[in-house]
Amino acid sequence: MSQREINLSINGKTYAAAVEPRLSLLDFLRDHAGLTGTHVGCEHGVCGACSILFDGVPIRSCLMLAVQADGHAITTVEGLCNEDGAPGPLQDAFQEAHGLQCGYCTPGMLISAQALLAGNSDPSIAEIKDAIGGNLCRCTGYVQIIEAIQLAASRLREAGQ
Amino acid sequence: MEAEARPKIIGARVQRVEDPRLLAGRGAFIDDVNLPGTLHVAFCRSDHAHARIVDIDSAEASRMPGVTAIFTAADIEGKMHPIRATSRMADYFATELPVLARDKVRYVGESVVAVVAANRYLAEDAAERVAITYEPLGHAIDPVAAAEAGSPLLHEEAGTNVIVTRTFARGDVDEVLASAPVRIGDTFRMHRKTPAAMENRGYLAEYDQGRRALTLHSTTQIPGIVRDALVEMLDLPGNRLRVVAPDVGGGFGGKGALYPEEILVCIIARQLGRPVKWLSDRLEDLMTTNQAFDEIVEAELACDEEGRILGLRAEVIGDVGAYSIYPWTAAIEPVQVVSFLPGPYRVPVYRGRVRAVATSKTPTGAYRGVGRPISTFVMERLIDMAAAKLSLDPLEMRRRNMVRAEEFPYKSASGIVWDRAGFMECLDGVATAADYKALRQIQTEARAAGRWVGIGLASYAELTGLGSRIAVAPGMPVNTGTESARIRVDSTGAVTAYFGIASQGQGLETTLAQVIAEELGVRLEDVEVIQGDSAVVAHGTGTYASRSAVLAGGAAILSARAVREKVLEAASHLLEADVGDIDTGNGRIFVKGTDRALSFRELARAVYSEIGRLPREVREGMDLEATRMYDPYFGTTTPASHLAMVEIDPETYGVTITRYVVAEDCGRIINPLIADGQVQGGVAQGIGAALMEEVVHDDAGQILTASLMDYVVPTAMEIPAMEIIHLETERPDNIGGFRGMGEGGTIGAPAALANAISDALAPLGIMINELPATPERLFRLIEAATTRNERRATRVG
C-alpha cells in the first residue's frame, strides 16, 4: 500500500514518518513513535483509553488516522510528566488519592482531567464527572479518580495564588 | 534506642509502588511487550451459534501479502494433548475445550481458523479472504428449552445439555413449606454479564529453539495454573515453560481461566520458531471472554408469623454456554448460587437444586462475586417480600434472622461453616451510618409528594481466602488452597520477594511489600515484590476468589519471619548480643536499649562477602533467604451489609442512587486506600449488574451487545459517592488476621438496588425480580402496573 509523509509534533518533539493512509493515529503513536502509554481499549471511540490532546483538545486517537494528524501538535500521557520523566503534578495527585488500580484507563483519564483543569482550576464534582464521563474505568468506581482530580485542582489553585 | 521501634506499616495509607510507572505511561502491558520478528494472529470466528463446518478454503488468504501460515483444527492435530476440565463431581460431563473448532462450532465467536501474518493489519486482511462453509444445526439458546429432552445437543456424547446437576439439602423442605404460616416466592432472573476489563485479553509466545523453551506472556490471573496445564498439553518440562503475566489491565475473573488462544500462540510459536502475538479486540472480548451471572432461580421462603425463617427451597437453571472452562468447570458459577443462597441467616431447612445447562453461547466462568451476586439478590428479595407480607420493617426482618454472635461457628443449611465475623455489626453499621430512621422519614415525605423514592438493604456473607480443606476447586486437578512466598536478602542487603499470585490492579506489589517490610523490619522502599511469573516459585496458582491478601499475605509473613530469624542469628554474632535482645526496624538491626546497630546492607555483606566476620560454623550453610507455603486450611468469613437509596425519574425511568452505604468486616486492613478502592470498584460493577449491563443474544444465538455502545458499563455519571464503614470485629483464624474483600461490592449492590427500586415502586405493586432493571424494563413494569391499577379502579368504581 502506498505511503504518505507526515510531520507532527508529539509532546513537543517533531516526528516525520511515512505511513499507510489506513494506519490509525493510535497505532502510529504506539507502534511507530514508541509511545505505549496511550492504550487500546475498544477501537470504536467509546472507552476513552486512547485519549490524547490534539492541539490541546482531548480526542480519541483510535478514531483518527495518522495522516490526519499531519501538521498538528499532540500531547500523550508521557507528555504530562516532568522533564526528567517523573510523574507530573496531576499524576502525583492520582497516586496520593489512589485514583487508579490496574492503570489501563489511567492515561486517558489523565488526559481528560488535564484538559478540564487547563480551563477550570475549580471544577465542581458535576463538572469533573462530565469531563471524565467518556472515559470508562472498570476498577475504581471513579470515586477516588474524582478525589484525585479535586486534589490536583486544589494544588493548582494554591500554586496560582 | 526507642526511636528505632518498629513502625506500623500494615494498616497505613501507603501510596502504591506500582503507580509511578502506570501514571507515566511506562507500564508494561501485553500490548507493550514487543519482541523482534513477532508474527501476529487474526482469527476467523464462527458467525453461527451451532453449525457443522463443511469446508474451509484458505487458498486465497494464504497468498495475501505478509501471510506466514494459516492454521485450522486439522493443522494442530497431534501437536498438543487435548484438554478437558475434569472433576470428581458426580453428575458432571467434562466437555472438551477445543483450541480451534473441529467438525462443528458451538457459539458465535468461536475460533475456527488462525491466520498468522507480519502484522495485525495484514493478518486481518487475509482472514477476510478465508471462506468457511457451515451447515446450520438446531439452536440451543434458551437454557430452559435446552435442558429438555429432544433439544439439539451441543455435546452429543453427553447425551444431554444438562452437564452439571447438584442438590444441597437439610431437612424436609416440602413439609415445612406445606405447613408454613407465611410462604412467599417467585422466579428470579439475572441476565448474563461480561467482565469487560478495560484491557482486552492478549497473549505473546516466544520459543527459544536453543533451549527448547517456551515463554508465554499472558494477560492471565492464573500463571501457575496455565503453566501446569501447558506442560501437560505440550510435553515440555516446567523448567522450560514459563508463564509471565505482565501488567494486566483488570481481570475480575474474566482472565482467570485457560483460553484456547493462549494455547494456540504457544503451538504456533514452537512450530514457526518466531514470537507469536494475539491481541483481542473489543468485539472479540465481548464475544469470547468467559461470561457470567446467567441464572433463572425459582425460589420459595417459609416463615412463621414473627418473620422467623422456617425453610427455603430453590430450583436453579444456570446457562453455562458452550464449554466447561478450564480448570473451574461449568459448575463454578451456578453451583455457588445454591451453596450461598441461605446467606447470613438461620435457615433450618433447605433444598437448593441446580442444573447447569450447555447452550450455544459464549462459555461462562468466574466474574467478580461468582454466584453470590445472584444468590444474594434472590435471598434479599425474598427477605424483603416476606417483610412486606408481614408488615415488618426490612431491617427488623433481617435482625430477627441473622446469625448472632453467640451462634458462631454456624453451619449453614448448605453446609458452609460461618466463622465469627461481624454479621449483625455490619447490618447495624449501615443502619446507624445512614440514619435509617431518618431516611425512612425522608422517603415517607417524598412518597406523599408522589415521588418514587426507595431504600434497599442487602446483607451477605462470603467465604474468602480458602485453604486446602475447602478450596475453590473441589474435585478438580488443581490445588488452590495454598500459596508460597520466597523472600531473599541479597548480598547488598536489598529485599526481593517472589510470589505465585498475579495482580491485575489490586495493588499487591504494595500490600505484600507492606506486610514484608513490617515483619522483617525494613522500609517499604527496601522491598521489591515480583509476582505474576510462574518461574519464581515452585507452585502458585494466581489471584482470584478474594484470596491473595489471606494466602500470599500469610506466606509473606511466614517467609519474612524465617528470614528475620536468620538475620537475628547472624546479627547476634556481629553485634555480640543475644538473639532475644536484638530487634529490627526501618532497615536497621539493633541491640535493644543500646546504640549498637547494623544496616541490612552491612549485615548482608558480612554474611555473604566479608568472609571471616562470622565464625565458620555459623557462616557455612547460612543464607538470608526463605520460602514458605501458607495454607489457611479453612477459609475466612467476610460479611457485609449494603444500603442504597434511589429515586426513579417518572419521565426517563432512569434510577438515580442518592445514597450508598457499605459496612464490611474485612478483618485487619493492610492499606485503607486500597481497601476503599476495592469496595468502591466492586460496588460500581454491582451497580452495572443491577441497572445496565446485559449480554443479549437473539433467537439464533447472535450476540447483540458486541460493542461498548451496546454492552453498557457504568461511567462516572452513574456512580454515586459512597460511605464505607470498615469493621474489625475479631481477627479471623489465619496468620495475618486478614479477610478477603475483593469481590464483596459486586455481591451486595445488585440486591440492595433491587430492593431499593422495589421499595420505590411498592405503591404500584411492582417487584424487581429481574436484573438489570434498565429504564426499558422499568417502563414496561410501570406501564403494566398502571394499566392493571386503572382497570382495578374502574372495576371498583
Side-chain angles (χ1 to χ4, degrees):
Chain A
M1 207 170 282
S2 69
Q3 301 212 319
R4 299 254 182 112
E5 296 288 332
I6 57 168
N7 287 281
L8 68 164
S9 155
I10 309 174
N11 303 330
K13 272 194 221 163
T14 306
Y15 287 75
V19 299
E20 281 187 26
R22 69 170 176 171
L23 183 72
S24 76
L25 179 55
L26 170 61
D27 286 345
F28 174 78
L29 292 171
R30 293 183 50 81
D31 301 340
H32 295 247
L35 296 166
T36 55
T38 304
H39 291 155
V40 186
C42 71
E43 295 175 287
H44 52 261
V46 180
C47 78
C50 67
S51 299
I52 57 166
L53 294 176
F54 189 82
D55 297 333
V57 177
I59 62 137
R60 277 116 210 275
S61 60
C62 73
L63 293 183
M64 192 173 239
L65 298 170
V67 291
Q68 293 174 291
D70 186 30
H72 292 272
I74 285 166
T75 304
T76 67
V77 67
E78 290 90 344
L80 303 184
C81 295
N82 297 328
E83 278 181 14
D84 63 357
L90 176 63
Q91 292 151 315
D92 283 342
F94 267 68
Q95 181 170 13
E96 281 178 55
H98 189 33
L100 69 160
Q101 289 183 25
C102 79
Y104 201 77
C105 76
T106 308
M109 207 57 90
L110 288 166
I111 289 290
S112 293
Q114 179 80 10
L116 169 72
L117 296 178
N120 181 357
S121 65
D122 194 8
S124 65
I125 287 179
E127 286 169 330
I128 293 172
K129 285 189 171 189
D130 190 53
I132 63 167
N135 291 84
L136 299 179
C137 168
R138 197 62 161 157
C139 296
T140 63
Y142 306 100
V143 178
Q144 288 167 320
I145 293 177
I146 293 167
E147 288 168 6
I149 296 171
Q150 287 177 310
L151 178 64
S154 72
R155 295 255 168 84
L156 207 61
R157 291 196 300 278
E158 280 164 28
Q161 274 167 6
Chain B
M1 269 173 53
E2 294 305 313
E4 293 202 85
R6 216 185 300 177
K8 284 280 163 211
I9 306 173
I10 297 175
R13 295 174 75 86
V14 168
Q15 291 181 26
R16 298 199 320 171
V17 301
E18 294 89 338
D19 289 355
R21 70 171 188 266
L22 297 173
L23 286 162
R26 292 195 179 79
F29 294 92
I30 188 81
D31 195 10
D32 308 334
V33 182
N34 287 305
L35 301 171
T38 297
L39 297 169
H40 293 258
V41 177
F43 285 98
C44 305
R45 296 182 177 279
S46 169
D47 45 17
H48 287 259
H50 192 198
R52 193 163 309 287
I53 301 169
V54 177
D55 182 56
I56 298 172
D57 181 357
S58 53
E60 191 190 345
S62 64
R63 293 191 296 268
M64 290 287 287
V67 173
T68 308
I70 294 177
F71 292 87
T72 65
D75 300 313
I76 58 169
E77 194 87 42
K79 289 175 181 150
M80 59 168 276
H81 301 293
I83 189 154
R84 282 172 197 262
T86 56
S87 166
R88 293 192 306 274
M89 226 173 355
D91 303 316
Y92 163 63
F93 176 79
T95 74
E96 71 169 326
L97 186 73
V99 170
L100 290 167
R102 190 181 58 241
D103 305 330
K104 72 174 190 173
V105 290
R106 294 178 176 87
Y107 68 95
V108 171
E110 185 169 0
S111 45
V112 183
V113 180
V115 177
V116 187
N119 65 48
R120 178 70 184 244
Y121 284 74
L122 295 173
E124 288 191 15
D125 286 347
E128 280 178 14
R129 306 298 174 97
V130 174
I132 306 170
T133 311
Y134 296 100
E135 177 196 328
L137 298 167
H139 296 144
I141 308 298
D142 169 39
V144 178
E148 282 165 13
S151 166
L153 294 180
L154 286 186
H155 303 275
E156 288 83 357
E157 63 276 32
T160 170
N161 289 321
V162 181
I163 58 174
V164 180
T165 308
R166 277 196 76 173
T167 303
F168 293 79
R170 181 162 82 183
D172 185 345
V173 77
D174 295 322
E175 195 183 303
V176 170
L177 280 163
S179 61
V182 179
R183 188 172 169 172
I184 47 118
D186 203 352
T187 297
F188 301 83
R189 182 80 163 97
M190 177 79 99
H191 290 280
R192 188 177 269 244
K193 318 291 177 197
T194 186
M198 293 320 301
E199 179 202 32
N200 294 312
R201 292 187 295 115
Y203 311 109
L204 166 64
E206 49 176 322
Y207 187 64
D208 179 335
Q209 282 177 317
R211 281 183 59 230
R212 285 175 297 132
L214 192 68
T215 301
L216 172 68
H217 306 263
S218 167
T219 56
T220 187
Q221 297 174 226
I222 50 165
I225 290 175
V226 172
R227 191 270 309 266
D228 291 1
L230 289 173
V231 158
E232 297 295 329
M233 279 182 277
L234 302 177
D235 280 332
L236 278 171
N239 55 9
R240 288 197 270 117
L241 209 160
R242 178 178 170 208
V243 178
V244 183
D247 284 326
V248 175
F252 318 115
K255 293 171 181 166
L258 176 72
Y259 279 94
E261 295 94 345
E262 64 192 326
I263 305 168
L264 188 68
V265 293
C266 290
I267 294 170
I268 298 175
R270 180 153 75 164
Q271 179 166 334
L272 301 181
R274 299 263 300 269
V276 174
K277 194 179 209 176
W278 172 72
L279 297 168
S280 165
D281 64 23
R282 185 56 67 179
L283 172 66
E284 288 178 301
D285 181 66
L286 291 168
M287 288 195 305
T288 66
T289 294
N290 295 335
Q291 299 175 349
F293 295 2
D294 195 348
E295 275 102 14
I296 301 165
V297 181
E298 191 267 302
E300 244 188 319
L301 185 75
C303 305
D304 68 14
E305 288 92 345
E306 273 78 52
R308 281 186 291 265
I309 295 169
L310 301 174
L312 171 68
R313 182 190 64 75
E315 297 288 332
V316 178
I317 287 187
D319 178 342
V320 296
Y323 296 103
S324 186
I325 60 155
Y326 188 91
W328 312 116
T329 81
I332 180 164
E333 157 79 22
V335 169
Q336 296 206 58
V337 176
V338 274
S339 65
F340 283 94
L341 193 64
Y345 305 108
R346 287 184 302 272
V347 177
V349 177
Y350 175 58
R351 187 182 66 234
R353 248 196 316 234
V354 60
R355 285 179 295 161
V357 184
T359 59
S360 2
K361 295 178 198 162
T362 306
T364 65
Y367 173 42
R368 201 173 193 167
V370 193
R372 291 155 293 185
I374 295 85
S375 68
T376 304
F377 160 53
V378 172
M379 189 63 181
E380 293 301 297
R381 284 296 304 130
L382 288 169
I383 294 270
D384 269 27
M385 288 160 69
K389 189 152 188 179
L390 289 158
S391 301
L392 264 179
D393 186 276
L395 179 62
E396 180 54 28
M397 178 78 189
R398 285 176 175 77
R399 282 198 177 122
R400 287 185 191 179
N401 287 290
M402 197 167 272
V403 176
R404 298 189 169 276
E406 66 274 16
E407 294 172 296
F408 294 109
Y410 178 85
K411 189 168 189 177
S412 88
S414 61
I416 294 169
V417 177
W418 299 128
D419 250 341
R420 171 87 179 95
F423 285 33
M424 198 69 85
E425 290 88 339
C426 287
L427 182 60
D428 290 340
V430 284
T432 307
D435 198 349
Y436 184 74
K437 266 191 190 157
L439 288 190
R440 283 289 176 207
Q441 186 56 39
I442 293 168
Q443 183 198 20
T444 306
E445 287 160 20
R447 195 170 272 176
R451 288 158 59 197
W452 290 329
V453 170
I455 299 162
L457 287 165
S459 297
Y460 67 84
E462 57 167 335
L463 284 176
T464 62
L466 299 182
S468 60
R469 177 72 179 80
I470 41 170
V472 277
M476 298 169 211
V478 291
N479 163 31
T480 62
T482 58
E483 269 302 330
S484 49
R486 177 158 65 97
I487 300 178
R488 167 194 292 169
V489 179
D490 67 25
S491 57
T492 71
V495 182
T496 310
Y498 304 90
F499 290 91
I501 51 86
S503 185
Q504 316 96 46
Q506 296 89 342
L508 290 162
E509 289 173 48
T510 304
T511 45
L512 292 173
Q514 285 178 261
V515 170
I516 293 163
E518 179 164 321
E519 285 289 340
L520 196 55
V522 297
R523 297 166 307 172
L524 185 68
E525 58 266 35
D526 296 330
V527 183
E528 176 85 4
V529 168
I530 307 290
Q531 47 87 43
D533 184 342
S534 71
V536 300
V537 290
H539 176 261
T541 52
T543 291
Y544 51 87
S546 300
R547 70 193 293 272
S548 293
V550 178
L551 276 84
I557 291 170
L558 291 176
S559 184
R561 286 178 185 171
V563 173
R564 188 166 175 274
E565 272 179 33
K566 296 184 178 187
V567 166
L568 294 184
E569 198 204 334
S572 74
H573 294 278
L574 297 165
L575 295 171
E576 294 175 344
D578 282 346
V579 165
D581 294 332
I582 302 173
D583 203 352
T584 56
N586 260 330
R588 309 275 299 164
I589 304 144
F590 54 92
V591 182
K592 286 180 265 190
T594 74
D595 58 0
R596 277 185 289 151
L598 281 168
S599 68
F600 268 71
R601 172 174 291 194
E602 288 165 325
L603 179 113
R605 208 177 282 150
V607 168
Y608 291 119
S609 309
E610 296 166 353
I611 303 301
R613 285 200 63 191
L614 287 172
R616 185 177 164 194
E617 64 276 16
V618 175
R619 185 171 52 78
E620 273 182 359
M622 171 163 271
D623 62 16
L624 301 173
E625 186 166 352
T627 302
R628 291 290 182 276
M629 305 287 284
Y630 180 60
D631 177 358
Y633 196 58
F634 291 108
T636 61
T637 299
T638 306
S641 284
H642 290 213
L643 181 147
M645 190 164 186
V646 302
E647 177 154 10
I648 298 158
D649 186 320
E651 288 177 350
T652 65
Y653 301 91
V655 176
T656 302
I657 303 167
T658 52
R659 196 82 190 268
Y660 206 97
V661 188
V662 178
E664 54 93 45
D665 177 4
C666 71
R668 186 181 180 202
I669 291 176
I670 301 174
N671 187 330
L673 274 175
I674 289 175
D676 282 351
Q678 288 294 313
V679 174
Q680 289 158 356
V683 168
Q685 288 186 5
I687 290 170
L691 303 180
M692 312 159 81
E693 296 180 33
E694 179 174 355
V695 175
V696 182
H697 290 87
D698 71 7
D699 294 342
Q702 295 293 335
I703 182 164
L704 303 182
T705 46
S707 82
L708 289 177
M709 288 293 278
D710 305 297
Y711 187 81
V712 187
V713 303
T715 71
M717 310 300 268
E718 290 86 30
I719 304 302
M722 296 172 209
E723 296 149 75
I724 302 166
I725 300 124
H726 296 290
L727 295 162
E728 194 189 317
T729 48
E730 189 174 311
R731 290 204 176 161
D733 184 22
N734 64 56
I735 190 165
F738 312 131
R739 299 183 199 271
M741 51 89 64
E743 297 169 89
T746 313
I747 298 172
L753 287 164
N755 279 341
I757 301 168
S758 300
D759 187 41
L761 299 176
L764 298 175
I766 289 170
M767 295 189 292
I768 302 300
N769 292 346
E770 183 175 5
L771 292 179
T774 56
E776 186 188 337
R777 273 203 184 95
L778 291 180
F779 169 75
R780 288 179 194 283
L781 286 169
I782 291 167
E783 284 293 293
T786 311
T787 313
R788 199 165 58 227
N789 293 344
E790 276 167 6
R791 267 196 214 122
R792 200 172 296 153
T794 314
R795 269 203 306 275
V796 173

